Each structure stands twice: as C-alpha cells, then as structure tokens.
Amino acid sequence: MLHFEGLRKKIIKNYFTIIIITVTLFEGLFIFYIQNYYYDYVRQNLKNVVENTNSNYNTVQMESSSFEKKVNNIIEKENLKYNSRYAVTIIDKNKNIILDRYGFKTNEKADYEDVDRALKDAKDLVPYTHRIAETNEHVMSISIPLKTNNIIEGVVRYTVSLDHIDQVIFKLILGLILAGICILLIAISLSLRFAEGLIQPLIELKQFANELAHGNYKIKLKNRNISDDEIGDLAETFEYMASEIDKSEKLKEEFISSISHELRTPLTSIKGWSETLGYDGIGKEELDLGLGIIQDETERLIKLVEELLDFSRLASDRIKLQIDMVDIRVLANGVVNQLRVKSNEKNIKLEAIFETENIENVQGDKNRLRQVLINLIQNSIKFTSDGGFIKVIVSQNDEFTTMKVIDNGAGIETENLDKVLDKFFQEDYNKAGSGLGLAISNEIVKLHGGNMRLESEKGVGTAITVTIKNKLIESI
C-alpha cells in the first residue's frame, strides 16, 4: 500500500507541480494562439470589406450628390442586402441610424466606440468586439467614414457574429482541457512509479543499514536490480563497507585474543618470578636469572604499551614529529648494533650496507625514524630462521633517502601483501606481537613525506623499502 509521506510525498508533489505548470502554460499559450488566429481572420475580412466599400464610395461620389443615393449604390454593388455573413448599418454624421443591420430605417442612435472613432476620422480603424445587449450575441464590428471632399457625410458599419467561432474555440479549449487532464493522470501514474522506483531501493538500504547497526555484517542486498544507477552504486558501497567492517571486526577479535596473550604471558612470568624471588634461601644464580626475566618481560610490556599508545595517537591524528637534522648513517649503525645481540642469539647475520658514500643529514624525527627501523629489523629477526641473514641497505639521492631491510626469512603469502600494513593484521597469530608495528611504521613514514613498499615470497624472504624526503621544510 502506498503512503504519501516523506521523500515519496516530496517527489510526487514536486513532479506533479512541474507537470501542472507546464501543461497550464502550454494550454494557455495554445488557447491564446487559437483565439487570436480565428479573431484575426475575422478582423482581416472586415478590413477587406471596408477597403472595398471605401473604393466603391469613391467611385459613385462623382455620379450623384445625395448621401442616401451613394449608400444605396454601395449596397447594390456589394449585394450586401443578400449577404447574410455581414450585417450593415448606415449612420449619418449625427449618429442617426439610417439603415439598420436588418435593412430597416430607424431613428435610433449609434453610440458605439467604433462609430465615434470613424466620425472623428481616426487613422487606425480597429474592429471592435462586443455583445449586443438585446440578444447577448457576441459580435465584431468595424466602422468607416464616408467622405466627400474630405468632409464626413456618414458612417457605414459592418458587423459579423462571433458565436459560431466561439463555439469552435470552446470545443478546441474543451479538447485541450481533456487532453491536459489525461496528461496529468499519466503524469501522476509515472510519478508514482518513479517515486516507488526511487523509494524502494532506499527502503532496502535503510533496512541494510539497520542490520549493520545491529552488528550483522554478513548481510547481502536482496534486490540486485538496483545496481544499475547511482543508488545501485551506493548499495554496492554499503555491501563493500559491510564486508570491510566484517574483516575489521575479525581482525579486532584476533587482535584482542593476541594482545590478551601478549599481556598475559609477560605478566605471568613477572608474577611467577616475583613470587619465586620472595622465597627464602634462593641462590644468586637463580636470583640473577629471575631478575633478568622480569626485566625482559617488563621491557616487552613497555614496548607493547607504547605501540598501543602510538596506535591511539595515530587514530586521532595526535602524533607530532619533532623535526631535527638526522644523521641516517649513525641512526642505522646504532639500531643494527643495538639489535645485533638479539640476532646473534638466532645466529642471524645482521649488517648495515651504505650504497651512497656521502650520506647527507635529513630533516626528520630521529626517535620516530629509529622506531621504524627497529620495528622492521625486529620483524625480520622474528620471522628469519637460525643461520639466516638480514641486510639494512641505505642509499640517498638529491630528494629522497631510502632504507631497505632484506631478509631470507619465512616470507609473506602473496594474497596477504596488501594486508600486512593494516592495523591488527598478523599472518601468523601464533607469533608474538600486536600486529601494530608495521601499521604504525607506515604512518610515521607517511608523516615524513615518504612511503613503505613490501616485496615478499613465501619461503624465500622479504624486502621492505622505506623512502623518506630529505627535506620536510625549507629551513630548519
């Protein structure tokens, strides 16, 4: 059942209003044109008759001097007594009707606008439309002065009935009105169909959005026919959004599971060793081992918390760079030396290679760039087997500085390459980590006017290339 409310009501109202205005204007103009066409035809005929009369009167005026005789000659020549199309009235210069439209002599006065204009010898003789008081007949009249030696002796007046023409015009107007009503009915029908065609997809989109609001991200659109226009594009965007939200929700669930494990493991170790160290008679060797484990697990927790804080800052655009001049050679060597102890534990060869001999200092945040390089190398150490290698290759040109971390580790599946930089993503959730390190590093690199590119092959290794601008601001 149709309900005329909301958007449907607006569409139908506006559409219907436009049609009414259009039809009304069209019919008004057409009616005006029809009426003028028929009336102009009558006016032209009256003017032709007037011209003939004027010509005939000028012909007979030399033959007789009597006004009445001149008039009779006009009537006889034009055969007006027997011409029922025009009614002729002869009027003298005192407005007395000498011969009325029925051919009788009367003593009535001819008080008409067109007669007055003729007696005043007006230059433009315009047909005069009016109604006869006695019969209510609609007529058109025109009067012409009869002059001898430029002296007006009287007026001849021609009158033609417009009733028949009015009937024709009325029938045409009635036909136009009926046609307009048909057009309006068709317009209403089309506007209803148009409104339904527009509203129905929107109703489905509304239902789709409600399902999304209630957490149903697996919902699919039922009506596939709406995918042929802009609303269809919007519907497909909704579907895509739902699938992306579903993926994000899964990633969040996996992240929560992973982060819970990441938090629980060091906390359990800290709690266990703190209780163990509280026992009496504990030896120095066991004490050193316990304190070392507590220290390592504490650093692990601090790193995890820092990543979560960075993620929060990135999500709210609150990370601000402390721009300074950074010596990339010193930075890369420092990070490599710092992590070499960890790489040596897995017998992994870690080295820094500088392809450009003279590397200039760059503008950037030293601590954030150090964080990026540490994240990349730590990831490589985590996914590289014993006896492998990790190379940090640094190069520079006039505009950009590039740091490339290459390993021969486990590699990444091809279908996951586009997801590695996403927040919370981990290819192997059994490995330690929050899944935020690469995502945060990528955002830091973007803040430095650069980009991060991944190349990897499963079982062969991974190469991550970081490119940053040498100059972020003109002067520092």
Side-chain angles (χ1 to χ4, degrees):
M1 181 178 179
L2 290 176
H3 299 283
F4 291 88
E5 82 286 337
L7 185 58
R8 180 189 286 109
K9 184 177 181 180
K10 290 180 181 178
I11 292 172
I12 294 174
K13 179 182 177 182
N14 293 335
Y15 192 68
F16 192 56
T17 301
I18 291 171
I19 294 297
I20 287 178
I21 292 173
T22 303
V23 171
T24 303
L25 287 175
F26 173 77
E27 291 200 350
L29 290 172
F30 199 66
I31 290 169
F32 177 78
Y33 171 78
I34 290 173
Q35 191 173 38
N36 278 343
Y37 174 79
Y38 280 100
Y39 282 11
D40 283 345
Y41 176 76
V42 176
R43 288 189 188 98
Q44 190 59 46
N45 284 339
L46 283 174
K47 288 180 178 179
N48 291 338
V49 171
V50 163
E51 290 176 2
N52 290 333
T53 299
N54 197 24
S55 175
N56 290 333
Y57 187 78
N58 290 332
T59 300
V60 301
Q61 66 179 345
M62 299 301 296
E63 300 174 359
S64 66
S65 58
S66 170
F67 173 68
E68 187 174 348
K69 190 172 182 179
K70 293 175 184 176
V71 168
N72 288 330
N73 285 334
I74 292 173
I75 294 174
E76 288 176 3
K77 282 192 176 185
E78 297 187 12
N79 199 23
L80 293 174
K81 286 184 177 180
Y82 308 103
N83 189 346
S84 60
R85 184 176 180 183
Y86 299 103
V88 182
T89 305
I90 305 299
I91 304 161
D92 64 17
K93 59 184 178 181
N94 296 318
K95 293 186 181 181
N96 295 315
I97 298 176
I98 297 174
L99 190 69
D100 69 5
R101 61 199 297 256
Y102 302 107
F104 298 104
K105 292 183 179 181
T106 66
N107 295 319
E108 296 179 7
K109 290 282 187 179
D111 291 320
Y112 302 109
E113 181 181 335
D114 55 309
V115 174
D116 292 337
R117 289 176 62 84
L119 289 173
K120 291 177 182 179
D121 198 12
K123 292 183 179 180
D124 51 335
L125 299 176
V126 181
Y128 171 57
T129 304
H130 62 102
R131 288 190 178 274
I132 298 174
E134 296 82 1
T135 61
N136 198 35
E137 184 181 6
H138 192 202
V139 297
M140 183 182 293
S141 301
I142 188 170
S143 298
I144 180 174
L146 300 175
K147 296 184 292 183
T148 301
N149 297 324
N150 286 328
I151 297 174
I152 298 176
E153 295 182 328
V155 172
V156 59
R157 187 174 192 245
Y158 295 96
T159 303
V160 63
S161 175
L162 297 177
D163 284 348
H164 177 69
I165 292 175
D166 288 343
Q167 289 177 6
V168 173
I169 293 174
F170 175 76
K171 289 178 181 179
L172 289 173
I173 291 174
L174 184 61
L176 283 173
I177 292 173
L178 292 175
I181 292 172
C182 291
I183 291 172
L184 291 177
L185 291 175
I186 294 172
I188 292 174
S189 175
L190 291 175
S191 62
L192 290 174
R193 289 174 63 87
F194 174 72
E196 283 304 302
L198 184 63
I199 297 300
Q200 195 55 44
L202 293 178
I203 291 174
E204 187 169 344
L205 286 178
K206 179 183 177 183
Q207 295 170 348
F208 189 92
N210 286 335
E211 291 292 327
L212 287 181
H214 289 87
N216 182 9
Y217 304 120
K218 299 184 186 301
I219 185 172
K220 298 292 181 182
L221 288 168
K222 299 174 184 176
N223 185 4
R224 303 311 304 176
N225 293 328
I226 68 175
S227 60
D228 297 332
D229 51 24
E230 287 78 3
I231 295 178
D233 293 339
L234 178 62
E236 289 180 353
T237 303
F238 267 56
E239 272 195 342
Y240 176 74
M241 180 181 68
S243 66
E244 290 300 307
I245 293 174
D246 189 35
K247 291 177 185 177
S248 297
E249 288 298 312
K250 288 179 180 178
L251 285 174
K252 285 182 181 180
E253 290 173 5
E254 292 167 348
F255 166 75
I256 291 171
S257 175
S258 173
I259 207 70
S260 299
H261 173 74
E262 289 294 314
L263 289 170
R264 188 184 299 111
T265 302
L267 287 173
T268 301
S269 297
I270 292 171
K271 182 176 183 297
W273 276 102
S274 62
E275 290 175 351
T276 300
L277 296 178
Y279 294 152
D280 294 334
I282 189 170
K284 186 177 183 307
E285 184 179 343
E286 193 174 10
L287 178 64
D288 291 341
L289 176 63
L291 288 175
I293 291 175
I294 289 174
Q295 183 178 357
D296 290 342
E297 296 300 329
T298 301
E299 289 179 356
R300 184 175 165 188
L301 280 175
I302 290 172
K303 182 177 182 298
L304 186 60
V305 170
E306 284 178 349
E307 285 186 344
L308 291 172
L309 287 173
D310 280 343
F311 167 68
S312 175
R313 294 188 190 104
L314 281 171
S316 57
D317 294 325
R318 287 186 292 114
I319 280 191
K320 303 296 181 184
L321 298 180
Q322 301 297 322
I323 305 298
D324 203 350
M325 299 306 296
V326 182
D327 189 330
I328 294 295
R329 183 183 291 272
V330 172
L331 178 71
N333 281 327
V335 173
V336 167
N337 290 332
Q338 175 187 340
L339 297 177
R340 184 168 280 129
V341 175
K342 197 167 185 179
S343 67
N344 288 338
E345 292 175 359
K346 296 181 66 175
N347 194 27
I348 296 172
K349 183 181 179 181
L350 175 61
E351 62 178 332
I353 300 171
F354 299 92
E355 292 185 339
T356 305
E357 186 175 349
N358 296 318
I359 296 180
E360 302 288 338
N361 292 351
V362 302
Q363 294 177 2
D365 188 323
K366 181 172 65 176
N367 292 326
R368 289 298 181 184
L369 290 175
R370 183 172 178 275
Q371 178 184 352
V372 170
L373 199 53
I374 288 174
N375 278 335
L376 299 183
I377 296 175
Q378 283 183 339
N379 268 353
S380 291
I381 293 172
K382 181 166 62 174
F383 292 101
T384 301
S385 303
D386 292 357
F389 69 83
I390 300 172
K391 296 179 182 179
V392 180
I393 302 173
V394 182
S395 62
Q396 189 180 69
N397 58 30
D398 293 339
E399 189 174 358
F400 296 100
T401 296
T402 300
M403 295 179 287
K404 191 172 187 177
V405 179
I406 303 174
D407 63 55
N408 62 342
I412 304 168
E413 295 287 356
T414 304
E415 62 269 18
N416 291 328
L417 281 175
D418 294 335
K419 306 174 186 176
V420 172
L421 298 180
D422 292 343
K423 301 174 182 68
F424 312 124
F425 180 80
Q426 285 181 260
E427 190 172 42
D428 185 357
Y429 285 92
N430 294 319
K431 294 282 187 179
S434 63
L436 291 172
L438 284 179
I440 292 171
S441 298
N442 187 40
E443 294 300 324
I444 292 172
V445 170
K446 287 180 181 178
L447 290 174
H448 281 81
N451 62 78
M452 185 182 292
R453 189 175 73 255
L454 277 80
E455 300 170 88
S456 185
E457 186 177 344
K458 194 67 177 177
V460 175
T462 302
I464 301 180
T465 304
V466 171
T467 303
I468 61 172
K469 279 189 173 182
N470 296 337
K471 291 185 179 181
L472 293 179
I473 51 180
E474 288 301 321
S475 60
I476 188 170

